[in-house]
Amino acid sequence: MADTARPLAVVTGASSGIGLELAKVAAGEGYDLVIAADEPDIEGAAEKLRLKGATVDAITVDLSDVEGAEKFCKFIADKGKPVDILLANAGRGLGKGFLDQDLNEALHVVDTSITGTIALIHKIGNEMRARDEGRILITGSIAGFIPGTYQAVYNGTKAFLNSFSFALREELEDTGVTVSCLMPGATDTRFFECAQMWHGPDSTP
Ligand SMILES: NC(=O)c1ccc[n+]([C@@H]2O[C@H](COP(=O)([O-])OP(=O)(O)OC[C@H]3O[C@@H](n4cnc5c(N)ncnc54)[C@H](OP(=O)(O)O)[C@@H]3O)[C@@H](O)[C@H]2O)c1
């Protein structure tokens, strides 16, 4: 039987970096967690988060398409608790000039940031609006305000997420659902290595 006393936070991309830190904050604030990432090391993150006293359920799922988002939503629904906060954070970058990128890798960046994120928010956002409560935090980036030479596709996806966040926030302003956009500057995570991006003072993902 689920512990209904503790609210539930859902964090995507929680295996490392910013998502793991967001999940730690939520656990410290008394939330139970459902977390997801693309690789099995999400289980290691779950172990760390349980040390903070939270009940943590983890799933390895590719959130770059609607099917992945639906599988994740089913996993969340099986916990039997409403989602109080959704931290839609999963994302990846890709370096090199656009014409030199592998097209499938570039499309995966788009699909992870955009397709998977809006599919997840569409489902959970509707549930929140029906309950007239909930909070959504979308990880955009200050990169969404900057044309990203040698990271053109990535910056474009962050421009989408920044814009989408502002718009959805307005659409829900008369409800009990809030939408915020986290816009980190350059943050030292695995991101740059995974994206094969140069990491320097003028490179902001
Ligand atoms: N680092 C920065 O300077 C910076 C600045 C602004 C915004 N951001 C944004 O912050 C977010 C987190 O990035 P980070 O810096 O913390 O990098 P990170 O440590 O590489 O974390 C990325 C997370 O997203 C997950 N992920 C990636 N693709 C996924 C997919 N298809 N399905 C499910 N999970 C997926 C990764 O899981 P796996 O490893 O299992 O794939 C990982 O948990 C991203 O949206 C990024 O764009 C980062």
Side-chain angles (χ1 to χ4, degrees), residues 36-83:
D38 198 17
E39 305 284 343
D41 56 1
I42 190 67
E43 294 296 341
E47 284 304 315
K48 287 181 198 154
L49 293 163
R50 285 182 192 115
L51 297 176
K52 295 190 166 288
T55 296
V56 183
D57 291 291
I59 182 172
T60 302
V61 58
D62 181 0
L63 293 172
S64 69
D65 57 25
V66 175
E67 291 72 26
E70 286 176 346
K71 181 179 173 186
F72 186 42
C73 287
K74 168 92 173 54
F75 183 77
I76 297 164
D78 287 347
K79 307 305 155 204
K81 290 169 75 159
V83 178

Tab-separated table of all heavy atoms in Angstrom, residues 36-83:
chain	number	residue	atom	x	y	z
A	36	ALA	N	13.778	8.201	-13.693
A	36	ALA	CA	14.023	7.483	-14.953
A	36	ALA	C	15.281	8.002	-15.622
A	36	ALA	O	15.636	9.178	-15.480
A	36	ALA	CB	12.839	7.673	-15.898
A	37	ALA	N	15.937	7.105	-16.345
A	37	ALA	CA	17.025	7.468	-17.245
A	37	ALA	C	17.119	6.367	-18.291
A	37	ALA	O	16.423	5.349	-18.213
A	37	ALA	CB	18.341	7.649	-16.504
A	38	ASP	N	18.017	6.595	-19.242
A	38	ASP	CA	18.111	5.720	-20.407
A	38	ASP	C	18.983	4.493	-20.153
A	38	ASP	O	18.901	3.509	-20.879
A	38	ASP	CB	18.710	6.565	-21.545
A	38	ASP	CG	18.469	5.968	-22.899
A	38	ASP	OD1	17.597	5.105	-23.010
A	38	ASP	OD2	19.154	6.376	-23.843
A	39	GLU	N	19.843	4.569	-19.136
A	39	GLU	CA	20.814	3.506	-18.875
A	39	GLU	C	20.578	2.916	-17.485
A	39	GLU	O	20.046	3.589	-16.602
A	39	GLU	CB	22.247	4.059	-18.939
A	39	GLU	CG	22.588	4.771	-20.240
A	39	GLU	CD	22.842	3.810	-21.391
A	39	GLU	OE1	23.069	2.613	-21.131
A	39	GLU	OE2	22.786	4.279	-22.545
A	40	PRO	N	21.023	1.674	-17.270
A	40	PRO	CA	20.736	0.996	-15.991
A	40	PRO	C	21.354	1.652	-14.763
A	40	PRO	O	20.968	1.332	-13.641
A	40	PRO	CB	21.330	-0.406	-16.198
A	40	PRO	CG	21.455	-0.575	-17.667
A	40	PRO	CD	21.643	0.778	-18.256
A	41	ASP	N	22.309	2.610	-14.935
A	41	ASP	CA	22.894	3.205	-13.726
A	41	ASP	C	21.890	4.074	-12.962
A	41	ASP	O	22.202	4.608	-11.900
A	41	ASP	CB	24.204	3.952	-14.017
A	41	ASP	CG	24.073	5.034	-15.061
A	41	ASP	OD1	22.957	5.223	-15.551
A	41	ASP	OD2	25.095	5.676	-15.377
A	42	ILE	N	20.666	4.163	-13.453
A	42	ILE	CA	19.609	4.826	-12.680
A	42	ILE	C	19.407	4.098	-11.342
A	42	ILE	O	19.022	4.705	-10.341
A	42	ILE	CB	18.282	4.882	-13.489
A	42	ILE	CG1	17.251	5.779	-12.816
A	42	ILE	CG2	17.709	3.502	-13.731
A	42	ILE	CD1	17.577	7.222	-12.787
A	43	GLU	N	19.714	2.772	-11.313
A	43	GLU	CA	19.547	2.019	-10.056
A	43	GLU	C	20.541	2.497	-9.006
A	43	GLU	O	20.223	2.536	-7.812
A	43	GLU	CB	19.721	0.520	-10.316
A	43	GLU	CG	18.639	-0.093	-11.199
A	43	GLU	CD	17.244	-0.038	-10.581
A	43	GLU	OE1	17.119	0.141	-9.358
A	43	GLU	OE2	16.270	-0.158	-11.352
A	44	GLY	N	21.750	2.865	-9.430
A	44	GLY	CA	22.736	3.409	-8.488
A	44	GLY	C	22.269	4.725	-7.901
A	44	GLY	O	22.440	4.994	-6.702
A	45	ALA	N	21.654	5.559	-8.740
A	45	ALA	CA	21.103	6.829	-8.254
A	45	ALA	C	19.989	6.562	-7.252
A	45	ALA	O	19.885	7.236	-6.217
A	45	ALA	CB	20.587	7.646	-9.429
A	46	ALA	N	19.167	5.552	-7.540
A	46	ALA	CA	18.057	5.222	-6.632
A	46	ALA	C	18.594	4.828	-5.255
A	46	ALA	O	18.042	5.239	-4.224
A	46	ALA	CB	17.215	4.100	-7.226
A	47	GLU	N	19.665	4.050	-5.233
A	47	GLU	CA	20.269	3.640	-3.946
A	47	GLU	C	20.696	4.864	-3.144
A	47	GLU	O	20.451	4.954	-1.938
A	47	GLU	CB	21.470	2.722	-4.194
A	47	GLU	CG	21.100	1.296	-4.577
A	47	GLU	CD	20.194	0.635	-3.525
A	47	GLU	OE1	20.483	0.754	-2.324
A	47	GLU	OE2	19.179	0.039	-3.915
A	48	LYS	N	21.355	5.821	-3.807
A	48	LYS	CA	21.814	7.042	-3.121
A	48	LYS	C	20.623	7.819	-2.566
A	48	LYS	O	20.656	8.337	-1.445
A	48	LYS	CB	22.560	7.959	-4.094
A	48	LYS	CG	23.938	7.481	-4.475
A	48	LYS	CD	24.599	8.488	-5.422
A	48	LYS	CE	25.755	7.803	-6.133
A	48	LYS	NZ	26.082	8.369	-7.419
A	49	LEU	N	19.552	7.889	-3.336
A	49	LEU	CA	18.396	8.686	-2.925
A	49	LEU	C	17.646	8.025	-1.768
A	49	LEU	O	17.082	8.715	-0.911
A	49	LEU	CB	17.471	8.908	-4.127
A	49	LEU	CG	18.080	9.801	-5.217
A	49	LEU	CD1	17.334	9.664	-6.536
A	49	LEU	CD2	18.076	11.258	-4.764
A	50	ARG	N	17.672	6.690	-1.724
A	50	ARG	CA	16.989	5.983	-0.619
A	50	ARG	C	17.667	6.304	0.715
A	50	ARG	O	17.029	6.290	1.761
A	50	ARG	CB	16.989	4.477	-0.863
A	50	ARG	CG	15.988	4.074	-1.930
A	50	ARG	CD	15.906	2.584	-2.167
A	50	ARG	NE	15.142	2.336	-3.383
A	50	ARG	CZ	15.618	1.795	-4.501
A	50	ARG	NH1	16.868	1.349	-4.544
A	50	ARG	NH2	14.869	1.664	-5.569
A	51	LEU	N	18.974	6.600	0.672
A	51	LEU	CA	19.694	6.951	1.902
A	51	LEU	C	19.130	8.225	2.517
A	51	LEU	O	19.357	8.513	3.680
A	51	LEU	CB	21.197	7.127	1.614
A	51	LEU	CG	21.929	5.872	1.129
A	51	LEU	CD1	23.381	6.192	0.781
A	51	LEU	CD2	21.874	4.774	2.189
A	52	LYS	N	18.399	9.007	1.712
A	52	LYS	CA	17.792	10.243	2.210
A	52	LYS	C	16.391	10.001	2.775
A	52	LYS	O	15.663	10.947	3.072
A	52	LYS	CB	17.737	11.288	1.094
A	52	LYS	CG	19.130	11.721	0.655
A	52	LYS	CD	19.082	12.921	-0.256
A	52	LYS	CE	20.465	13.548	-0.407
A	52	LYS	NZ	20.924	14.260	0.787
A	53	GLY	N	15.992	8.732	2.852
A	53	GLY	CA	14.728	8.402	3.505
A	53	GLY	C	13.534	8.330	2.572
A	53	GLY	O	12.407	8.097	3.023
A	54	ALA	N	13.767	8.538	1.291
A	54	ALA	CA	12.650	8.510	0.343
A	54	ALA	C	12.409	7.092	-0.152
A	54	ALA	O	13.343	6.286	-0.247
A	54	ALA	CB	12.959	9.419	-0.843
A	55	THR	N	11.159	6.794	-0.480
A	55	THR	CA	10.862	5.592	-1.257
A	55	THR	C	11.133	5.949	-2.712
A	55	THR	O	10.608	6.949	-3.218
A	55	THR	CB	9.388	5.180	-1.075
A	55	THR	OG1	9.193	4.842	0.291
A	55	THR	CG2	9.040	3.995	-1.963
A	56	VAL	N	11.982	5.156	-3.351
A	56	VAL	CA	12.407	5.498	-4.713
A	56	VAL	C	12.143	4.317	-5.647
A	56	VAL	O	12.595	3.203	-5.386
A	56	VAL	CB	13.911	5.836	-4.756
A	56	VAL	CG1	14.312	6.274	-6.171
A	56	VAL	CG2	14.262	6.911	-3.738
A	57	ASP	N	11.401	4.581	-6.712
A	57	ASP	CA	11.200	3.586	-7.766
A	57	ASP	C	11.889	4.093	-9.018
A	57	ASP	O	11.679	5.240	-9.426
A	57	ASP	CB	9.708	3.378	-8.028
A	57	ASP	CG	9.037	2.697	-6.850
A	57	ASP	OD1	9.318	1.515	-6.621
A	57	ASP	OD2	8.253	3.379	-6.154
A	58	ALA	N	12.714	3.221	-9.606
A	58	ALA	CA	13.510	3.630	-10.759
A	58	ALA	C	13.202	2.757	-11.960
A	58	ALA	O	12.933	1.562	-11.818
A	58	ALA	CB	14.994	3.535	-10.415
A	59	ILE	N	13.284	3.365	-13.125
A	59	ILE	CA	13.068	2.609	-14.367
A	59	ILE	C	14.068	3.078	-15.418
A	59	ILE	O	14.361	4.269	-15.524
A	59	ILE	CB	11.611	2.770	-14.877
A	59	ILE	CG1	11.380	1.941	-16.145
A	59	ILE	CG2	11.240	4.214	-15.084
A	59	ILE	CD1	9.920	1.882	-16.598
A	60	THR	N	14.571	2.100	-16.161
A	60	THR	CA	15.400	2.414	-17.327
A	60	THR	C	14.480	2.470	-18.533
A	60	THR	O	13.869	1.464	-18.897
A	60	THR	CB	16.468	1.319	-17.529
A	60	THR	OG1	17.260	1.236	-16.349
A	60	THR	CG2	17.363	1.640	-18.712
A	61	VAL	N	14.363	3.633	-19.120
A	61	VAL	CA	13.455	3.791	-20.260
A	61	VAL	C	13.977	4.908	-21.156
A	61	VAL	O	14.450	5.938	-20.671
A	61	VAL	CB	12.006	4.091	-19.775
A	61	VAL	CG1	11.937	5.340	-18.923
A	61	VAL	CG2	11.025	4.177	-20.933
A	62	ASP	N	13.903	4.674	-22.453
A	62	ASP	CA	14.285	5.701	-23.415
A	62	ASP	C	13.115	6.660	-23.586
A	62	ASP	O	12.062	6.279	-24.111
A	62	ASP	CB	14.661	5.038	-24.751
A	62	ASP	CG	15.096	6.055	-25.791
A	62	ASP	OD1	15.103	7.267	-25.495
A	62	ASP	OD2	15.439	5.629	-26.914
A	63	LEU	N	13.312	7.884	-23.128
A	63	LEU	CA	12.228	8.863	-23.154
A	63	LEU	C	12.274	9.741	-24.401
A	63	LEU	O	11.853	10.891	-24.368
A	63	LEU	CB	12.291	9.728	-21.888
A	63	LEU	CG	11.982	8.986	-20.590
A	63	LEU	CD1	12.266	9.869	-19.377
A	63	LEU	CD2	10.528	8.526	-20.566
A	64	SER	N	12.776	9.181	-25.495
A	64	SER	CA	12.870	9.986	-26.714
A	64	SER	C	11.683	9.784	-27.656
A	64	SER	O	11.691	10.310	-28.767
A	64	SER	CB	14.169	9.668	-27.455
A	64	SER	OG	14.126	8.358	-27.990
A	65	ASP	N	10.699	9.023	-27.218
A	65	ASP	CA	9.517	8.886	-28.089
A	65	ASP	C	8.260	8.715	-27.244
A	65	ASP	O	8.323	8.570	-26.010
A	65	ASP	CB	9.682	7.729	-29.089
A	65	ASP	CG	9.955	6.396	-28.422
A	65	ASP	OD1	9.577	6.214	-27.247
A	65	ASP	OD2	10.556	5.524	-29.082
A	66	VAL	N	7.129	8.734	-27.918
A	66	VAL	CA	5.837	8.671	-27.222
A	66	VAL	C	5.696	7.331	-26.500
A	66	VAL	O	5.176	7.282	-25.374
A	66	VAL	CB	4.685	8.890	-28.234
A	66	VAL	CG1	3.335	8.697	-27.564
A	66	VAL	CG2	4.774	10.280	-28.838
A	67	GLU	N	6.169	6.251	-27.121
A	67	GLU	CA	6.060	4.927	-26.487
A	67	GLU	C	6.827	4.909	-25.161
A	67	GLU	O	6.352	4.365	-24.164
A	67	GLU	CB	6.598	3.841	-27.418
A	67	GLU	CG	5.761	3.584	-28.666
A	67	GLU	CD	5.844	4.697	-29.706
A	67	GLU	OE1	6.878	5.414	-29.741
A	67	GLU	OE2	4.875	4.879	-30.464
A	68	GLY	N	8.017	5.482	-25.150
A	68	GLY	CA	8.810	5.532	-23.921
A	68	GLY	C	8.112	6.357	-22.849
A	68	GLY	O	8.063	5.966	-21.674
A	69	ALA	N	7.540	7.475	-23.264
A	69	ALA	CA	6.819	8.323	-22.299
A	69	ALA	C	5.614	7.570	-21.744
A	69	ALA	O	5.322	7.632	-20.532
A	69	ALA	CB	6.393	9.625	-22.966
A	70	GLU	N	4.906	6.843	-22.610
A	70	GLU	CA	3.724	6.093	-22.146
A	70	GLU	C	4.131	4.965	-21.190
A	70	GLU	O	3.453	4.713	-20.187
A	70	GLU	CB	2.957	5.532	-23.341
A	70	GLU	CG	2.182	6.629	-24.078
A	70	GLU	CD	1.484	6.123	-25.342
A	70	GLU	OE1	1.806	5.001	-25.786
A	70	GLU	OE2	0.644	6.873	-25.875
A	71	LYS	N	5.227	4.290	-21.520
A	71	LYS	CA	5.710	3.217	-20.627
A	71	LYS	C	6.054	3.805	-19.250
A	71	LYS	O	5.730	3.226	-18.208
A	71	LYS	CB	6.955	2.573	-21.260
A	71	LYS	CG	7.552	1.442	-20.458
A	71	LYS	CD	8.764	0.844	-21.181
A	71	LYS	CE	9.462	-0.176	-20.291
A	71	LYS	NZ	10.707	-0.675	-20.854
A	72	PHE	N	6.687	4.960	-19.260
A	72	PHE	CA	7.050	5.612	-17.995
A	72	PHE	C	5.787	6.031	-17.229
A	72	PHE	O	5.701	5.838	-16.008
A	72	PHE	CB	7.942	6.819	-18.283
A	72	PHE	CG	8.495	7.482	-17.055
A	72	PHE	CD1	8.985	6.741	-15.985
A	72	PHE	CD2	8.553	8.865	-16.969
A	72	PHE	CE1	9.505	7.357	-14.853
A	72	PHE	CE2	9.070	9.489	-15.849
A	72	PHE	CZ	9.540	8.731	-14.777
A	73	CYS	N	4.798	6.569	-17.937
A	73	CYS	CA	3.556	6.984	-17.269
A	73	CYS	C	2.848	5.789	-16.636
A	73	CYS	O	2.267	5.897	-15.541
A	73	CYS	CB	2.634	7.690	-18.258
A	73	CYS	SG	3.216	9.332	-18.697
A	74	LYS	N	2.896	4.642	-17.304
A	74	LYS	CA	2.276	3.427	-16.739
A	74	LYS	C	3.021	3.025	-15.469
A	74	LYS	O	2.401	2.654	-14.459
A	74	LYS	CB	2.344	2.322	-17.804
A	74	LYS	CG	2.012	0.934	-17.341
A	74	LYS	CD	0.535	0.655	-17.533
A	74	LYS	CE	0.149	-0.790	-17.243
A	74	LYS	NZ	0.541	-1.305	-15.944
A	75	PHE	N	4.344	3.094	-15.507
A	75	PHE	CA	5.164	2.766	-14.335
A	75	PHE	C	4.801	3.689	-13.164
A	75	PHE	O	4.676	3.241	-12.021
A	75	PHE	CB	6.644	2.933	-14.719
A	75	PHE	CG	7.624	2.557	-13.652
A	75	PHE	CD1	7.918	1.227	-13.372
A	75	PHE	CD2	8.291	3.537	-12.926
A	75	PHE	CE1	8.844	0.886	-12.392
A	75	PHE	CE2	9.218	3.210	-11.947
A	75	PHE	CZ	9.496	1.873	-11.681
A	76	ILE	N	4.617	4.972	-13.466
A	76	ILE	CA	4.248	5.937	-12.414
A	76	ILE	C	2.860	5.609	-11.876
A	76	ILE	O	2.640	5.567	-10.654
A	76	ILE	CB	4.259	7.381	-12.977
A	76	ILE	CG1	5.656	7.777	-13.444
A	76	ILE	CG2	3.750	8.362	-11.922
A	76	ILE	CD1	5.670	9.015	-14.353
A	77	ALA	N	1.914	5.348	-12.781
A	77	ALA	CA	0.529	5.086	-12.371
A	77	ALA	C	0.446	3.871	-11.455
A	77	ALA	O	-0.363	3.826	-10.516
A	77	ALA	CB	-0.349	4.900	-13.606
A	78	ASP	N	1.309	2.884	-11.705
A	78	ASP	CA	1.298	1.664	-10.894
A	78	ASP	C	1.670	1.931	-9.437
A	78	ASP	O	1.443	1.084	-8.570
A	78	ASP	CB	2.255	0.619	-11.485
A	78	ASP	CG	1.696	0.002	-12.765
A	78	ASP	OD1	0.501	0.192	-13.038
A	78	ASP	OD2	2.473	-0.659	-13.489
A	79	LYS	N	2.267	3.085	-9.145
A	79	LYS	CA	2.626	3.420	-7.754
A	79	LYS	C	1.387	3.825	-6.956
A	79	LYS	O	1.424	3.887	-5.732
A	79	LYS	CB	3.682	4.541	-7.691
A	79	LYS	CG	4.920	4.273	-8.535
A	79	LYS	CD	5.566	2.948	-8.188
A	79	LYS	CE	6.354	2.405	-9.358
A	79	LYS	NZ	6.544	0.961	-9.360
A	80	GLY	N	0.317	4.176	-7.650
A	80	GLY	CA	-0.951	4.461	-6.959
A	80	GLY	C	-1.001	5.802	-6.261
A	80	GLY	O	-1.839	6.010	-5.383
A	81	LYS	N	-0.103	6.708	-6.640
A	81	LYS	CA	-0.119	8.050	-6.039
A	81	LYS	C	-0.120	9.101	-7.146
A	81	LYS	O	0.536	8.896	-8.176
A	81	LYS	CB	1.147	8.273	-5.183
A	81	LYS	CG	1.179	7.446	-3.914
A	81	LYS	CD	2.551	7.509	-3.260
A	81	LYS	CE	2.796	8.812	-2.560
A	81	LYS	NZ	3.868	8.696	-1.529
A	82	PRO	N	-0.799	10.221	-6.922
A	82	PRO	CA	-0.734	11.286	-7.928
A	82	PRO	C	0.650	11.930	-7.955
A	82	PRO	O	1.356	11.923	-6.945
A	82	PRO	CB	-1.795	12.286	-7.457
A	82	PRO	CG	-1.923	12.047	-5.990
A	82	PRO	CD	-1.636	10.586	-5.760
A	83	VAL	N	1.007	12.481	-9.102
A	83	VAL	CA	2.299	13.177	-9.217
A	83	VAL	C	2.125	14.609	-8.713
A	83	VAL	O	1.328	15.381	-9.252
A	83	VAL	CB	2.780	13.199	-10.686
A	83	VAL	CG1	4.104	13.957	-10.798
A	83	VAL	CG2	2.909	11.778	-11.218
